[in-house]
Amino acid sequence: MSIRIAAIETFPVVYPTRGWFKFLEGPKGRPGGRPSVVVKITADNGAVGWGQSIPLHRWSYETLETVQTTIEHYLAPELIGLDVFDPEAIQAAMNRIIAPSFSTGQPICKAGVDLALFDLRGRITGQTAAQQWGRPTRERLTLSWTVNVRTLAEAEQTIAEGLAAGYRHFNVKVAPDPRFDLELCRLVKRLVPEGFLWADANGGYDESTALEVAPRLADVGVAVLEQPLPAARLTGYRRLRQQGALPILMDEGIVSSVELEEFIRLGLLDGVAMKVARCGGLTEARRQIQLLEASGLLWLGSGLTDPDLSLAACLQLYAAHGLQRPAALNGPQFLQGSILKQPIRVESGEARVPQGPGLGVEVDPDRLRQPLV
């Protein structure tokens, strides 16, 4: 007998932030907190799974409000009654009711539902994430500290904070000023010479600037360059790849495996900075990792300043798929508060991978109804 979706509920949760991160600002630069929508899915046998959508309006077009209304008014009515253990039918239903444009429609919203269903299946079967996938896992994952600053003095302080917290690897936000970017990366490499240094432009360079700065970033010790151009500048990505100064990773330009497969065929990238939230959840993220590995390309673990449930999903995926390089999961760096009974622990720059069924963590329902501190 099948187990079916009986109810889908949403809970808006805003996490307090610490420090400055450009994507966490509200209108007019005001502090905005880190918005999220927690998703609770109850099966008709009474089992419950939890997920989390993590919109970031300065990074994508989705907001807390669009996520919540889309789930409540469109996705939930379409999904209730479907078989919990038929993920293909569930994905098809979500994509039918919220259609794609160039790629998956509202992927950050759909990620919360995907995570909740994955968690629900794990709780019903008693399986961890790695067991559901038939893969090994590990207890810890090495993280990277984010350097997102406006001055070199700020950079020294930020690097010192990371080192004091036990981090030994750093990812740096660059663009649009190549002169500052080179000085910044040179500073990081001088202070942390053995660390993995990863530069992320978030689409902030134009083509000529990117072609000029990529070899110079390589000369100062940068290992990879992420999203150097806006997502639609595909000929520019081809030229950067042909230049070969640095491995070129896409991020904002990849939502589904459909465009990823096309971009690989066109020779536009050396790999992808994976984000579970960006591509609609674990189901699609795993598909993309498998495609990259089959093509002999890189994948690095990244995130959208993930809190709690979304962070747990990232850790499960990256650990089970044997991530080789430090993961740029900076939720623990920038966020405060937790909705979990036992928050995810980060010690000496390493996150503990949750070991329980589903996503491996337990939500404290009382914390969903009060402001986090």
Side-chain angles (χ1 to χ4, degrees):
M1 189 174 83
S2 63
I3 298 174
R4 299 190 175 273
I5 298 171
I8 300 177
E9 301 170 74
T10 61
F11 305 85
V13 176
V14 178
Y15 291 80
T17 60
R18 51 175 169 252
W20 177 75
F21 189 47
K22 62 182 180 179
F23 292 121
L24 296 179
E25 290 183 330
K28 303 293 185 183
R30 294 190 293 269
R34 205 282 170 247
S36 78
V37 176
V38 174
V39 181
K40 178 184 179 183
I41 297 183
T42 304
D44 59 6
N45 69 347
V48 170
W50 296 90
Q52 191 168 38
S53 299
I54 53 168
L56 207 58
H57 59 271
R58 288 190 176 272
W59 189 87
S60 178
Y61 54 81
E62 297 186 65
T63 68
L64 184 153
E65 293 81 7
T66 65
V67 166
Q68 192 167 24
T69 57
T70 296
I71 292 175
E72 292 182 353
H73 298 306
Y74 295 89
L75 299 184
E78 195 78 4
L79 299 182
I80 288 173
L82 294 186
D83 188 338
V84 169
F85 288 91
D86 192 352
E88 290 186 4
I90 290 168
Q91 290 290 326
M94 287 200 291
N95 292 334
R96 184 169 56 248
I97 194 67
I98 297 295
S101 50
F102 179 80
S103 187
T104 305
Q106 292 187 247
I108 295 174
C109 170
K110 291 173 181 174
V113 175
D114 182 85
L115 265 57
L117 285 164
F118 181 84
D119 188 53
L120 178 58
R121 289 191 290 268
R123 292 177 184 280
I124 290 172
T125 62
Q127 292 183 314
T128 66
Q131 288 169 340
Q132 287 190 67
W133 295 322
R135 298 187 63 90
T137 190
R138 56 188 196 248
E139 293 184 356
R140 294 179 176 82
L141 201 72
T142 300
L143 303 185
S144 174
W145 187 264
T146 297
V147 180
N148 174 216
V149 296
R150 292 158 288 194
T151 69
L152 294 179
E154 283 183 71
E156 289 208 43
Q157 179 180 347
T158 298
I159 295 164
E161 290 171 356
L163 290 170
Y167 286 71
R168 293 297 178 265
H169 307 279
F170 292 78
N171 58 289
V172 178
K173 295 296 183 182
V174 297
D177 182 354
R179 181 176 298 179
F180 177 78
D181 298 339
L182 288 165
E183 289 301 317
L184 175 60
C185 291
R186 190 174 287 116
L187 173 65
V188 176
K189 203 62 182 174
R190 177 172 61 81
L191 295 176
V192 197
E194 302 303 319
F196 182 79
L197 178 55
W198 167 359
D200 179 10
N202 288 114
Y205 290 133
D206 58 37
E207 182 181 325
S208 61
T209 303
L211 286 166
E212 178 184 354
V213 77
R216 300 172 70 187
L217 288 170
D219 288 342
V220 301
V222 171
V224 295
L225 178 57
E226 177 186 345
Q227 200 68 35
L229 307 175
R233 299 297 184 185
L234 302 184
T235 55
Y237 278 96
R238 175 177 284 170
R239 292 189 183 102
L240 280 164
R241 178 109 188 280
Q242 290 170 341
Q243 182 191 54
L246 278 173
I248 301 301
L249 305 184
M250 280 193 180
D251 176 4
E252 288 92 331
I254 303 292
V255 177
S256 83
S257 53
V258 175
E259 62 264 23
L260 174 57
E261 186 173 8
E262 287 297 309
F263 293 171
I264 291 172
R265 290 174 177 173
L266 292 170
L268 306 185
L269 69 163
D270 295 290
V272 171
M274 289 302 307
K275 287 179 168 65
V276 171
R278 178 197 67 220
C279 58
L282 288 166
T283 303
E284 175 63 25
R286 283 197 74 225
R287 189 176 294 126
Q288 292 184 21
I289 289 174
Q290 290 164 347
L291 178 57
L292 289 162
E293 291 178 338
S295 303
L297 298 179
L298 297 170
W299 67 274
L300 272 65
S302 185
L304 283 175
T305 313
D306 301 65
D308 287 335
L309 293 157
S310 187
L311 177 60
C314 293
L315 293 173
Q316 298 289 3
L317 180 68
Y318 302 158
H321 280 270
L323 179 63
Q324 298 298 308
R325 297 169 182 84
L329 294 170
N330 57 22
Q333 179 181 345
F334 290 108
L335 305 183
Q336 302 182 83
S338 176
I339 61 168
L340 302 180
K341 292 180 180 178
Q342 294 185 340
I344 293 170
R345 294 170 57 189
V346 177
E347 301 168 331
S348 299
E350 293 187 332
R352 288 187 174 270
V353 180
Q355 300 298 310
L359 295 178
V361 292
E362 295 290 340
V363 170
D364 182 346
D366 291 338
R367 297 185 184 181
L368 297 174
R369 296 174 174 84
Q370 57 192 23
L372 296 181
V373 292

